[in-house]
Amino acid sequence: MSNLRLGVEVVSAHSLMPKDGQGSANAFVELQFDGQKFRTTTKEKDLNPVWNESFYFNISDLDNLSNLHLEASVYNHLKTTNSKSFLGKVRLTGTSFVPYADAAVLHYPLEKRGIFSRVKGELGLKVFLTNDPSIRSSSPPLSTESSVLSGSQAAQTQGPVEQVQNIVQNIVQAAFSNDKDKAEARRTFHHLPNTAVSQQQHSSAPVSQEPGRFGVDQMRAEPQGPRVMRMFSGSGSQPIDYQLKETSPILGGGQVVGGRVIRADKPASTYDLVERMHYLFVRVVKARDLPTMDVTGSLDPFVEVRVGNYKGITKHFVKTKNPEWNEVFAFAGDRIQSSFLEVVVKDKDMLKDDLVGFVRFDLSDVPTRVPPDSPLAPEWYRIENRKGERKFGELMLAVWYGTQADEAFPDAWHSDAASHDDSSAAGSSHIRSKVYHSPRLWYLRVSVIGAQDLVVSEKTRFPDVYVKVQVGNQILKTRPTQARSLNAVWNEDLIFVVAEPFEDHLIMSVEDRVGPNKDETIGRATISLNAIEKRAEVRHDDRIDRSRWFHLEKASVLDVDQTKKDKKDKFASRLCLCLFLEGGYHVHDESTHYSSDLRPSLKQLWSRTPSIGVLELGILNADGLPPVKSRDQKLTSDTYCVAKYGQKWVRTRTIMNSLSPKYNEQYTWEVYDPATVITIGVFDNSQVGGSSGNRDTKIGKVRIRISTLETGRVYTHSYPLLVVQPSGVKKMGELHLAIRFSCTSLLNTMLIYSRPLLPKMHYIRPFSIMQQDMLRHQAVNIVAARLSRSEPPLRKEVVEYMSDIDSHLWSMRRSKANFFRLMSVFSGLIAVGKWFGEVCLWKNPITTGLVHVLFVMLVCFPELILPTVFLYMFLIGLWNYRYRARYPPHMNTKISYADNVHPDELDEEFDTFPTSRSSELVRMRYDRLRSVAGRIQTVVGDIASQGERLQHLLSWRDPRATAIFLVFCLIVALVLYITPFPVLALITGLFLMRHPRFRGRLPSAPINFFRRLPAKTDSML
């Protein structure tokens, strides 16, 4: 008997006829050859099944091979009756069989069994002859009289011996096929599971499993599904630990449940969005007639306030008996472990402080003050010395219980915010809560028109001049102009950012380029910013009517404060300028996507945008913060929060030595536009407590868009602080916030949505993208410089982090995230296109029939088209209302593509600018960027080619194609003139949705004609 065998690999089938009554089929294949019969497993609920199963037949007579036939029949398994229905067959003659090296996967159209058979689709087979002695015929063969079994039943009917035999056989087959990897490499078929029945396949794993198939294809195809799902970040799902957590805290106004406040029995205070915290306040005002303690008769008094283990110290005065301190100390009520308060007056000494006297209070007798009560009046108390005598000295004090709503709270020394190294009220300036106002910013437009009577050092040549303009640290230059005379013309606009109050001067200098990298200053002019006119709108004649001539002075005699000059030394050159402070623009000092204020610089224009509501923010606490520093051999953090909205910045007090600080501070802002964002950041204070660092450490931030908040609802959520680090995304703790937006004018709020987002000057005379980035960078630097001069300072790194100053820098991760965002935007259109494609292919005949009926109705009654569309959108909106978001959107690791990013991409993102990495690493990244840009270049070129083909329809670039198109246009014009439009639309729609039986697999004639049109790619170098 010969070793030659017939191998048949059943790969897949496509577009099978649905037979189960639900628009699908349970397909399997039966193979018959030379009296032998085999069958594949059953693929349930799949019209495009993939098997990748191999079978081998014995050949009884090689001389009779040309007369033998291979018949592959596709059936649908009917579970209810345990029978099968015919889906199509493929019949191959023995003359078409080829050796394995010449074999390839071919897709054969399914044939009918009879005249009345309904068949469609294709079957992919790979048929070959092999004489490998290690290959055995498939066993056990399926007899023609055997009943139809499903894949799971067939697997169960095989005995252990047959299953082991199949496993060994497939391993041998995989080893045999490895010798032909090159031939197989481009013909690998992967089966992606049908999402519609994925749940059923998981519940009935033996049915979809291939018993005895352990080849390379199966192992390679399985991981593809989850990998694609992991890379696609369009879905907003992310780990539970990274999601918002809604809370129900008991705040000052009552307990918050589902956004509603359940009022308590006590009246609500103004601080109703934070937990009520009780404090013991001690105001040390002044002292008089204190006794002397030194031999010299002098006294350096200071006061020490003690409650249990906590103590606060005032500043000390030198050589005075009647000092005035006027300092307030606040001791947290939940940390008081004593029943007495001691206020001790001491004398500052070099070695040991001397006791002058003290005043003791019983805390049970201290009164309680509830705002809006007036402040408690301080009283004089006689101090008691060591002997218990009260002869000399009095101390003016005020002691009361209160909450953080007390007006003394912001400026008070706090026991929970003080360090052990510095308990003085003077040393707590860096840890107090403060409110900052960023300066009002303006755009300064300097229109450099021209210059006259320029005097150069060399009389034999014409000057090559340009103008350099400087405002503070900002320097811009005009283009050099090669003048043919001693006059020069530029007509250029230079834009700067300046801040009130205007402290800088505008310095203009005309430079002459006398050689490479060698410039000479012809003259300078200094202009005060306070003398420049402010304007709200730009007019076309302003450059002509408002331009002024400024005399240039020699650089050697230039003096800002010089007002009198010798007439003999007067410089004759002049510079024509048009200067304006643009009040009709809004100066962006933060990213345009997260703007918190959109009003123009000129206050007179603010009346056009009245306030629409009030935003209230309660910063409750933080939890699980990472330790940043080590103190007393313990890892700890000294954290504070910063919130920015509009021109108002707020900073909470610094909580020392706590990884779960409680702030409970409430702030309020006026809201002028709902399309704005409030930003809250958490930082570690590196300026107190003996910290050695110079920069405050950023821990994380939260953004909340005002338009996503319902009016009057209290949102209490715990926000995870997510930060992308060089090691990947990391959760830095959670920040507990309470926020409420109260709308004061619903009509004004609705009208805001119809107005432009930015002031109108941004649309009348817009800036370029490069100008916007440069101006925003300058604005952030100016705001950071001004706020760092406050006391306590709001440091530059804090302002830059809150303003996202580095958001414009390149990041591969953000580029991928934006690409997937774009894909998710078009996913709806793609889904509609796929649905219409299935309608045209009659995947579901019922749906296709209903679409035909609806289409005919709309063609017959075209006046119903627009009402139907808008009614459909209205119903979709009503349906989605029940699924609306109940909380503000938060940073998402899936959308940001931060959960599956390569470490090298993160290292590139955190690299400095310019780079500080090695040349080899930079070369690798440059090559990677070139490959990405190459693919983008190819896509852009393909799009351009399609547009050029449209242009060449009438350009006679291809005379035959243009002639055909002109004849076609003439015929279409005549047909459209004769045929009514509804009839034409009906015919066109029915033609597009025609049955697949009347469709061909090749592209249509119009598509073929369009693809043959020429493009400009032939002219590309």
Side-chain angles (χ1 to χ4, degrees), residues 251-252 271-276 404 618-620 664-666:
L251 305 180
Y271 280 56
D272 59 342
L273 290 185
V274 293
E275 297 178 7
R276 187 174 300 175
Q404 68 267 43
I619 305 176
L620 303 179
N664 286 306
E665 299 185 22
Q666 183 172 341

Side-chain angles (χ1 to χ4, degrees), residues 361-372:
F361 295 89
D362 189 347
L363 297 183
S364 60
D365 298 332
V366 174
T368 301
R369 176 179 176 265
V370 179

Side-chain angles (χ1 to χ4, degrees), residues 314-507:
T314 66
K315 60 184 177 180
H316 77 278
F317 290 91
V318 180
K319 296 181 181 181
T320 178
K321 296 183 179 180
N322 301 295
E324 293 187 9
W325 294 282
N326 198 22
E327 297 181 9
V328 182
F329 299 85
F331 298 89
D334 56 348
R335 298 187 180 183
I336 295 178
Q337 299 177 354
S338 176
S339 58
F340 293 96
L341 164 68
E342 290 185 352
V343 182
V344 184
V345 182
K346 290 187 176 183
D347 177 27
K348 189 73 174 178
D349 207 344
M350 294 291 295
L351 299 177
K352 183 180 180 181
D353 299 334
D354 297 328
L355 175 66
V356 178
F358 63 91
V359 179
R360 178 173 295 179
F361 295 89
D362 189 347
L363 297 183
S364 60
D365 298 332
V366 174
T368 301
R369 176 179 176 265
V370 179
D373 292 349
S374 298
L376 192 66
E379 301 179 17
W380 287 104
Y381 295 90
R382 285 193 171 272
I383 61 175
E384 182 179 346
N385 58 16
R386 294 180 183 272
K387 300 179 182 179
E389 299 175 348
R390 299 184 179 179
K391 295 182 179 180
F392 303 100
E394 291 181 311
L395 188 62
M396 180 177 284
L397 301 171
V399 183
W400 73 96
Y401 279 115
T403 64
Q404 68 267 43
D406 202 296
E407 63 271 6
F409 178 81
D411 296 325
W413 172 94
H414 296 276
S415 61
D416 57 352
S419 63
H420 297 286
D421 300 331
D422 190 0
S423 299
S424 64
S428 64
S429 60
H430 287 278
I431 62 177
R432 290 175 178 169
S433 57
K434 290 294 180 180
V435 176
Y436 306 83
H437 281 275
S438 58
R440 189 147 57 104
L441 303 177
W442 293 75
Y443 285 138
L444 171 62
R445 186 185 298 271
V446 179
S447 299
V448 183
I449 300 175
Q452 286 183 353
D453 304 329
L454 297 176
V455 178
V456 296
S457 58
E458 299 179 10
K459 306 296 184 180
T460 58
R461 67 176 184 86
F462 292 111
D464 184 11
V465 293
Y466 66 91
V467 178
K468 183 173 70 174
V469 186
Q470 180 175 358
V471 179
N473 296 325
Q474 307 174 63
I475 299 177
L476 294 178
K477 301 176 181 179
T478 65
R479 69 182 186 279
T481 177
Q482 186 71 39
R484 294 300 178 183
S485 62
L486 297 180
N487 301 330
V489 178
W490 290 280
N491 284 325
E492 286 190 37
D493 286 351
L494 305 179
I495 310 296
F496 299 87
V497 179
V498 294
E500 292 183 349
F502 302 121
E503 301 173 350
D504 298 322
H505 288 80
L506 175 65
I507 301 176

Side-chain angles (χ1 to χ4, degrees), residues 50-75:
V50 176
W51 289 281
N52 284 327
E53 299 182 18
S54 300
F55 302 91
Y56 296 90
F57 296 88
N58 292 324
I59 301 177
S60 58
D61 188 1
L62 293 178
D63 297 334
N64 194 34
L65 180 61
S66 58
N67 298 324
L68 298 178
H69 296 83
L70 171 66
E71 186 171 305
S73 303
V74 185
Y75 294 96

Side-chain angles (χ1 to χ4, degrees), residues 18 115 139 162 225 257 279 318 419 591 748 782 804 818 834 879:
I115 300 177
S139 175
E162 290 81 354
V257 179
Y279 288 88
V318 180
S419 63
S591 176
N748 289 338
I782 291 176
D804 282 329
N818 291 332
K834 289 182 178 179
W879 178 262

Side-chain angles (χ1 to χ4, degrees), residues 437-438 440-443 582-590 595-612 645-648 669-673 676 752 756-760 762:
H437 281 275
S438 58
R440 189 147 57 104
L441 303 177
W442 293 75
Y443 285 138
E582 301 287 2
Y585 290 90
H586 167 71
V587 181
H588 289 282
D589 59 344
E590 52 198 344
S595 294
S596 59
D597 187 13
L598 301 172
R599 292 178 297 172
S601 300
L602 191 63
K603 278 190 176 182
Q604 296 176 355
L605 302 178
W606 290 5
S607 58
R608 302 178 184 179
T609 56
S611 173
I612 62 172
Y645 185 76
Q647 293 183 339
K648 181 178 177 181
W669 288 269
E670 291 282 337
V671 178
Y672 298 91
D673 196 309
T676 48
I752 284 290
L757 184 65
L758 296 173
K760 68 176 184 178
H762 288 271

